[in-house]
Each structure stands twice: as structure tokens, then as C-alpha cells.
């Protein structure tokens, strides 16, 4: 499933908003507390805003207070992890496995009462939502 959505920058720019392109393709970050899904609590599936791949069930979303949507686990095989040293420290970047779009970062061992003790800190603009029907 890795990078099944291969597009040029021009092709991505044609289908993404400028802000989606900045975050999904250039690994940007939206300001804390500004995202559409930060305090959203609908029931359904969060998908990649770039390619539509289902990534997270709403049942794995929790309120971490970090200012971005937080999930404790992804759907199997949909989110890839990569070492990120862009800020001079080792962090774990998460991307959509299907298209390579930047989602955010995952943090471990922060003490949240979740089954995985992980926090997937995801940019809202990297996500779309499909509610249960």
C-alpha cells in the first residue's frame, strides 16, 4: 500500500488547497487550537484529506488538551512512522501510508489513560471525516 497515490507537486497543488499542500506535502503544522477536528466528537472514520484512505476510527480519538486532534491508534497498515530530526530532537513523524501525506507526530509514554500509551497528534487539515450513517 506504500505510496500508491504517486503525484507530482503540480498534481497535488491542483487537488489540495494551499494550506493542505503546505501541511500534507511540505510537512507543515497548523497553529494549535485552530483545527476543525480538535474538539470535534462525531462518530465515524477520519480519512486522509489527500487521498481518502481511512486512517482512524472516532473511537480511538481522545482529548489530550494538546491543541490538535489526538488518537491512540490508527487503522492497521494505514499510518507509517519515520524519524524526524527537523527541530534538532528525535521525533516520530506519521504519514499516510497510501500517499505519503504528512499527518503529524506520534508521542509515547506521556501517561494518557489509553490502551497504547501513544498520542497521534494530527493536523486537522490533514484529515477528512465520514460520519456513521
Amino acid at each position: 500500500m506504500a505510496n500508491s497515490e504517486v503525484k507530482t507537486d503540480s498534481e497535488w497543488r491542483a487537488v489540495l488547497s494551499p494550506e493542505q499542500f503546505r501541511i500534507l506535502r511540505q510537512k507543515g503544522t497548523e497553529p494549535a487550537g485552530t483545527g476543525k477536528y480538535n474538539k470535534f466528537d462525531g462518530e465515524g472514520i477520519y480519512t486522509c484529506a489527500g487521498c481518502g484512505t481511512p486512517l482512524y476510527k472516532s473511537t480511538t480519538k481522545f482529548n489530550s488538551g494538546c491543541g490538535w486532534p489526538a488518537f491512540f491508534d490508527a487503522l492497521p497498515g494505514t499510518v507509517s512512522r519515520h524519524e524526524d530530526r527537523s527541530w534538532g530532537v528525535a521525533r516520530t513523524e506519521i504519514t499516510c501510508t497510501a500517499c505519503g501525506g504528512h499527518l503529524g507526530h506520534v508521542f509515547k509514554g506521556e501517561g494518557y489513560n489509553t490502551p497504547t500509551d501513544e498520542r497521534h497528534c494530527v493536523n486537522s487539515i490533514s484529515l477528512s471525516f465520514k460520519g456513521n450513517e
Side-chain angles (χ1 to χ4, degrees):
M1 194 172 180
N3 292 327
S4 63
E5 283 283 329
V6 177
K7 293 181 180 171
T8 66
D9 279 355
S10 295
E11 290 170 320
W12 281 117
R13 285 183 194 278
V15 297
L16 299 174
S17 73
E19 187 67 356
Q20 285 175 317
F21 185 84
R22 184 183 76 79
I23 292 172
L24 282 163
R25 307 314 311 168
Q26 297 178 321
K27 302 180 186 293
T29 301
E30 64 193 1
T34 64
K36 176 178 182 176
Y37 299 118
N38 181 34
K39 295 184 178 181
F40 181 78
D41 64 356
E43 293 183 14
I45 300 289
Y46 292 86
T47 63
C48 175
C51 69
T53 297
L55 301 172
Y56 297 98
K57 292 181 182 178
S58 60
T59 54
T60 65
K61 188 173 187 284
F62 69 102
N63 181 8
S64 70
C66 70
W68 292 273
F71 302 87
F72 62 79
D73 204 3
L75 292 168
T78 63
V79 173
S80 297
R81 298 171 186 229
H82 313 276
E83 184 176 355
D84 174 8
R85 293 190 169 272
S86 63
W87 287 13
V89 296
R91 299 185 299 162
T92 303
E93 177 193 12
I94 48 177
T95 60
C96 172
T97 300
C99 73
H102 174 74
L103 301 172
H105 292 84
V106 64
F107 302 93
K108 295 181 179 187
E110 294 179 315
Y112 290 105
N113 187 21
T114 63
T116 61
D117 198 20
E118 288 189 346
R119 174 174 57 97
H120 292 223
C121 185
V122 182
N123 291 289
S124 284
I125 205 157
S126 298
L127 300 171
S128 293
F129 181 77
K130 294 186 181 181
N132 291 342
E133 298 179 17

